[in-house]
Short mmCIF file of all heavy atoms in Angstrom, two decimals:
data_model
loop_
_atom_site.label_atom_id
_atom_site.label_comp_id
_atom_site.label_asym_id
_atom_site.label_seq_id
_atom_site.Cartn_x
_atom_site.Cartn_y
_atom_site.Cartn_z
N VAL B 173 -12.65 10.96 -5.39
CA VAL B 173 -11.74 10.80 -4.28
C VAL B 173 -10.70 11.86 -4.28
O VAL B 173 -10.38 12.42 -3.26
CB VAL B 173 -11.11 9.38 -4.28
CG1 VAL B 173 -9.97 9.21 -3.29
CG2 VAL B 173 -12.18 8.27 -4.16
N THR B 262 -8.95 -6.48 -0.47
CA THR B 262 -7.66 -6.38 0.11
C THR B 262 -7.60 -7.02 1.55
O THR B 262 -8.71 -7.30 2.04
CB THR B 262 -7.06 -4.93 0.25
OG1 THR B 262 -7.83 -4.33 1.36
CG2 THR B 262 -7.41 -4.15 -1.04
N ALA B 264 -7.38 -5.58 4.07
CA ALA B 264 -8.03 -4.65 5.00
C ALA B 264 -9.35 -5.31 5.45
O ALA B 264 -9.85 -4.99 6.56
CB ALA B 264 -8.31 -3.30 4.28
N VAL B 279 -18.01 0.52 12.56
CA VAL B 279 -17.76 1.64 11.64
C VAL B 279 -18.69 2.73 11.84
O VAL B 279 -18.33 3.90 11.57
CB VAL B 279 -17.75 1.12 10.20
CG1 VAL B 279 -16.47 0.33 9.88
CG2 VAL B 279 -18.96 0.38 9.87
N ALA B 285 -12.14 9.22 9.24
CA ALA B 285 -11.34 8.11 8.66
C ALA B 285 -10.13 8.64 7.90
O ALA B 285 -10.31 9.52 7.06
CB ALA B 285 -12.16 7.13 7.81
N GLU B 286 -8.96 8.16 8.25
CA GLU B 286 -7.70 8.53 7.50
C GLU B 286 -7.31 7.20 6.78
O GLU B 286 -6.78 6.32 7.42
CB GLU B 286 -6.66 9.05 8.44
CG GLU B 286 -7.13 10.12 9.44
CD GLU B 286 -7.56 11.40 8.79
OE1 GLU B 286 -7.28 11.60 7.60
OE2 GLU B 286 -8.24 12.25 9.46
N LEU B 287 -7.50 7.15 5.42
CA LEU B 287 -7.28 5.92 4.71
C LEU B 287 -6.18 6.22 3.69
O LEU B 287 -6.26 7.20 2.87
CB LEU B 287 -8.62 5.52 3.96
CG LEU B 287 -9.85 5.53 4.80
CD1 LEU B 287 -11.10 5.15 3.91
CD2 LEU B 287 -9.71 4.55 5.92
N THR B 292 -6.44 6.81 -6.18
CA THR B 292 -7.84 6.98 -5.84
C THR B 292 -8.56 5.69 -5.57
O THR B 292 -9.45 5.66 -4.71
CB THR B 292 -8.56 7.74 -6.99
OG1 THR B 292 -8.21 7.10 -8.28
CG2 THR B 292 -8.06 9.22 -7.05
N ILE B 293 -8.17 4.59 -6.23
CA ILE B 293 -8.85 3.33 -6.06
C ILE B 293 -8.71 2.84 -4.64
O ILE B 293 -9.58 2.20 -4.12
CB ILE B 293 -8.37 2.26 -7.03
CG1 ILE B 293 -9.10 0.92 -6.94
CG2 ILE B 293 -6.82 1.99 -6.91
CD1 ILE B 293 -10.56 0.99 -7.24
N ASN B 294 -7.56 3.20 -3.93
CA ASN B 294 -7.32 2.76 -2.59
C ASN B 294 -8.53 3.06 -1.71
O ASN B 294 -9.00 2.27 -0.90
CB ASN B 294 -6.11 3.40 -1.95
CG ASN B 294 -4.84 3.02 -2.69
OD1 ASN B 294 -4.85 2.84 -3.89
ND2 ASN B 294 -3.77 2.94 -1.93
N THR B 295 -8.96 4.34 -1.78
CA THR B 295 -9.92 4.85 -0.84
C THR B 295 -11.29 4.04 -1.08
O THR B 295 -11.93 3.64 -0.03
CB THR B 295 -10.16 6.35 -1.07
OG1 THR B 295 -8.92 7.00 -0.96
CG2 THR B 295 -11.17 6.90 -0.01
N LEU B 296 -11.61 3.75 -2.27
CA LEU B 296 -12.83 2.88 -2.57
C LEU B 296 -12.69 1.55 -1.93
O LEU B 296 -13.57 0.97 -1.22
CB LEU B 296 -13.12 2.75 -4.05
CG LEU B 296 -13.35 4.03 -4.88
CD1 LEU B 296 -13.89 3.69 -6.19
CD2 LEU B 296 -14.32 5.00 -4.14
N LEU B 297 -11.54 0.88 -2.22
CA LEU B 297 -11.34 -0.45 -1.68
C LEU B 297 -11.35 -0.53 -0.20
O LEU B 297 -11.98 -1.45 0.39
CB LEU B 297 -9.92 -0.99 -2.21
CG LEU B 297 -9.87 -1.32 -3.73
CD1 LEU B 297 -8.45 -1.59 -4.06
CD2 LEU B 297 -10.70 -2.46 -4.09
N PHE B 298 -10.71 0.44 0.45
CA PHE B 298 -10.73 0.43 1.94
C PHE B 298 -12.02 0.78 2.51
O PHE B 298 -12.47 0.22 3.53
CB PHE B 298 -9.60 1.38 2.46
CG PHE B 298 -8.19 0.98 1.87
CD1 PHE B 298 -7.24 1.92 1.71
CD2 PHE B 298 -7.95 -0.31 1.60
CE1 PHE B 298 -5.99 1.56 1.17
CE2 PHE B 298 -6.72 -0.75 1.05
CZ PHE B 298 -5.70 0.24 0.84
N LEU B 299 -12.80 1.71 1.96
CA LEU B 299 -14.14 1.96 2.46
C LEU B 299 -14.98 0.71 2.47
O LEU B 299 -15.73 0.42 3.37
CB LEU B 299 -14.86 3.09 1.58
CG LEU B 299 -14.32 4.55 1.80
CD1 LEU B 299 -14.84 5.43 0.73
CD2 LEU B 299 -14.76 5.06 3.18
N GLU B 300 -14.83 -0.08 1.39
CA GLU B 300 -15.54 -1.34 1.28
C GLU B 300 -15.05 -2.40 2.21
O GLU B 300 -15.77 -2.99 3.00
CB GLU B 300 -15.48 -1.83 -0.21
CG GLU B 300 -16.19 -0.88 -1.20
CD GLU B 300 -15.88 -1.33 -2.64
OE1 GLU B 300 -15.08 -2.31 -2.85
OE2 GLU B 300 -16.38 -0.70 -3.56
N ASP B 301 -13.73 -2.58 2.17
CA ASP B 301 -13.15 -3.67 2.94
C ASP B 301 -13.27 -3.49 4.44
O ASP B 301 -13.42 -4.38 5.26
CB ASP B 301 -11.69 -3.87 2.61
CG ASP B 301 -11.50 -4.47 1.18
OD1 ASP B 301 -12.43 -5.09 0.70
OD2 ASP B 301 -10.41 -4.33 0.61
N LEU B 302 -13.19 -2.17 4.86
CA LEU B 302 -13.32 -1.87 6.31
C LEU B 302 -14.71 -1.89 6.79
O LEU B 302 -15.04 -1.88 7.95
CB LEU B 302 -12.67 -0.47 6.57
CG LEU B 302 -11.19 -0.39 6.29
CD1 LEU B 302 -10.72 1.07 6.31
CD2 LEU B 302 -10.44 -1.17 7.35
N GLY B 303 -15.71 -1.93 5.84
CA GLY B 303 -17.06 -2.04 6.17
C GLY B 303 -17.92 -0.77 6.23
O GLY B 303 -19.03 -0.75 6.68
N PHE B 304 -17.40 0.30 5.64
CA PHE B 304 -18.16 1.54 5.61
C PHE B 304 -19.28 1.47 4.59
O PHE B 304 -20.26 2.15 4.66
CB PHE B 304 -17.24 2.74 5.32
CG PHE B 304 -16.33 3.14 6.43
CD1 PHE B 304 -14.98 2.78 6.43
CD2 PHE B 304 -16.84 3.87 7.50
CE1 PHE B 304 -14.15 3.09 7.49
CE2 PHE B 304 -15.99 4.15 8.60
CZ PHE B 304 -14.65 3.86 8.57
N CYS B 305 -19.06 0.61 3.58
CA CYS B 305 -20.14 0.28 2.64
C CYS B 305 -19.95 -1.14 2.16
O CYS B 305 -18.88 -1.74 2.51
CB CYS B 305 -20.11 1.27 1.45
SG CYS B 305 -18.65 1.27 0.56
N ARG B 306 -20.88 -1.61 1.39
CA ARG B 306 -20.74 -3.05 0.91
C ARG B 306 -19.75 -3.05 -0.26
O ARG B 306 -19.46 -2.12 -0.93
CB ARG B 306 -22.15 -3.61 0.52
CG ARG B 306 -22.98 -3.93 1.76
CD ARG B 306 -24.21 -4.75 1.34
NE ARG B 306 -25.12 -3.78 0.54
CZ ARG B 306 -26.30 -4.13 0.25
NH1 ARG B 306 -26.85 -5.32 0.54
NH2 ARG B 306 -27.08 -3.33 -0.47
N LYS B 307 -19.23 -4.26 -0.51
CA LYS B 307 -18.34 -4.49 -1.61
C LYS B 307 -18.97 -4.03 -2.92
O LYS B 307 -20.07 -4.41 -3.23
CB LYS B 307 -17.95 -5.95 -1.62
CG LYS B 307 -16.90 -6.34 -2.70
CD LYS B 307 -15.66 -5.41 -2.80
CE LYS B 307 -14.75 -5.45 -1.62
NZ LYS B 307 -13.65 -4.44 -1.76
N GLY B 308 -18.19 -3.21 -3.61
CA GLY B 308 -18.66 -2.75 -4.92
C GLY B 308 -19.41 -1.47 -4.85
O GLY B 308 -19.71 -0.84 -5.89
N GLU B 309 -19.75 -0.98 -3.66
CA GLU B 309 -20.48 0.24 -3.47
C GLU B 309 -19.66 1.44 -3.10
O GLU B 309 -20.14 2.57 -2.83
CB GLU B 309 -21.58 0.06 -2.49
CG GLU B 309 -22.67 -0.98 -2.97
CD GLU B 309 -23.81 -1.22 -1.99
OE1 GLU B 309 -23.72 -0.65 -0.85
OE2 GLU B 309 -24.64 -2.00 -2.30
N GLY B 310 -18.31 1.29 -3.12
CA GLY B 310 -17.43 2.38 -2.79
C GLY B 310 -17.60 3.64 -3.74
O GLY B 310 -17.55 4.75 -3.31
N GLY B 311 -17.88 3.37 -5.00
CA GLY B 311 -18.04 4.42 -5.98
C GLY B 311 -19.27 5.30 -5.62
O GLY B 311 -19.15 6.54 -5.63
N ALA B 312 -20.31 4.61 -5.33
CA ALA B 312 -21.49 5.38 -4.92
C ALA B 312 -21.36 6.10 -3.62
O ALA B 312 -21.84 7.20 -3.39
CB ALA B 312 -22.72 4.41 -4.83
N PHE B 313 -20.56 5.50 -2.67
CA PHE B 313 -20.35 6.11 -1.43
C PHE B 313 -19.61 7.46 -1.49
O PHE B 313 -19.92 8.35 -0.78
CB PHE B 313 -19.49 5.16 -0.52
CG PHE B 313 -19.37 5.52 0.95
CD1 PHE B 313 -20.30 5.00 1.87
CD2 PHE B 313 -18.34 6.34 1.38
CE1 PHE B 313 -20.16 5.38 3.23
CE2 PHE B 313 -18.23 6.68 2.73
CZ PHE B 313 -19.17 6.23 3.61
N VAL B 314 -18.65 7.53 -2.42
CA VAL B 314 -17.84 8.78 -2.55
C VAL B 314 -18.47 9.79 -3.54
O VAL B 314 -18.09 10.94 -3.60
CB VAL B 314 -16.41 8.49 -3.02
CG1 VAL B 314 -15.74 7.51 -1.99
CG2 VAL B 314 -16.33 7.94 -4.45
N ALA B 315 -19.52 9.33 -4.31
CA ALA B 315 -20.13 10.22 -5.32
C ALA B 315 -20.79 11.41 -4.63
O ALA B 315 -21.15 11.38 -3.47
CB ALA B 315 -21.17 9.41 -6.15
N GLY B 318 -19.31 12.57 -1.21
CA GLY B 318 -19.61 11.80 -0.04
C GLY B 318 -18.53 11.78 1.01
O GLY B 318 -18.83 11.58 2.23
N ILE B 319 -17.27 11.99 0.59
CA ILE B 319 -16.19 11.99 1.61
C ILE B 319 -15.51 13.33 1.70
O ILE B 319 -14.52 13.49 2.33
CB ILE B 319 -15.17 10.85 1.34
CG1 ILE B 319 -14.54 10.94 -0.03
CG2 ILE B 319 -15.81 9.49 1.57
CD1 ILE B 319 -13.40 9.98 -0.24
N ARG B 324 -20.97 12.50 3.81
CA ARG B 324 -21.49 11.53 4.81
C ARG B 324 -20.38 11.05 5.81
O ARG B 324 -20.68 10.63 6.93
CB ARG B 324 -22.10 10.36 4.13
CG ARG B 324 -21.11 9.58 3.29
CD ARG B 324 -21.79 8.38 2.75
NE ARG B 324 -22.46 8.53 1.44
CZ ARG B 324 -23.22 7.74 0.79
NH1 ARG B 324 -23.50 6.61 1.40
NH2 ARG B 324 -23.77 8.05 -0.33
N LEU B 325 -19.13 11.03 5.31
CA LEU B 325 -18.00 10.60 6.28
C LEU B 325 -16.77 11.45 5.94
O LEU B 325 -16.33 11.47 4.78
CB LEU B 325 -17.68 9.19 6.02
CG LEU B 325 -16.55 8.55 6.88
CD1 LEU B 325 -16.90 8.43 8.31
CD2 LEU B 325 -16.13 7.18 6.28
N PRO B 326 -16.21 12.13 6.92
CA PRO B 326 -14.96 12.86 6.66
C PRO B 326 -13.82 11.92 6.44
O PRO B 326 -13.51 11.13 7.37
CB PRO B 326 -14.75 13.69 7.94
CG PRO B 326 -16.05 13.64 8.68
CD PRO B 326 -16.65 12.31 8.26
N VAL B 327 -13.15 11.90 5.36
CA VAL B 327 -12.06 10.97 4.96
C VAL B 327 -10.86 11.79 4.49
O VAL B 327 -11.00 12.66 3.67
CB VAL B 327 -12.58 9.98 3.82
CG1 VAL B 327 -11.36 9.14 3.41
CG2 VAL B 327 -13.66 9.11 4.33
N ASN B 328 -9.70 11.46 5.04
CA ASN B 328 -8.45 12.11 4.62
C ASN B 328 -8.52 13.62 4.79
O ASN B 328 -8.33 14.40 3.80
CB ASN B 328 -8.01 11.64 3.27
CG ASN B 328 -7.81 10.18 3.17
OD1 ASN B 328 -7.64 9.52 4.24
ND2 ASN B 328 -7.87 9.56 2.04
N LEU B 370 -10.58 6.25 12.65
CA LEU B 370 -10.05 5.02 12.12
C LEU B 370 -8.88 5.44 11.20
O LEU B 370 -9.07 6.30 10.33
CB LEU B 370 -11.10 4.20 11.38
CG LEU B 370 -10.59 2.84 10.83
CD1 LEU B 370 -11.70 1.82 10.88
CD2 LEU B 370 -10.13 3.01 9.40
N HIS B 372 -6.15 3.82 8.46
CA HIS B 372 -5.78 2.61 7.70
C HIS B 372 -4.63 2.80 6.77
O HIS B 372 -4.65 3.61 5.87
CB HIS B 372 -6.93 2.06 6.91
CG HIS B 372 -6.64 0.77 6.24
ND1 HIS B 372 -6.61 -0.37 6.94
CD2 HIS B 372 -6.22 0.47 5.01
CE1 HIS B 372 -6.25 -1.34 6.09
NE2 HIS B 372 -5.94 -0.85 4.89
#
Side-chain angles (χ1 to χ4, degrees):
Chain B
V173 173
T262 75
V279 286
E286 311 295 346
L287 313 177
T292 50
I293 184 64
N294 295 34
T295 307
L296 299 194
L297 290 171
F298 300 149
L299 285 168
E300 295 170 0
D301 291 339
L302 296 167
F304 288 102
C305 60
R306 283 190 294 188
K307 182 48 66 185
E309 295 180 357
F313 190 91
V314 304
I319 58 171
R324 63 173 88 189
L325 177 72
V327 174
N328 298 340
L370 183 145
H372 184 77

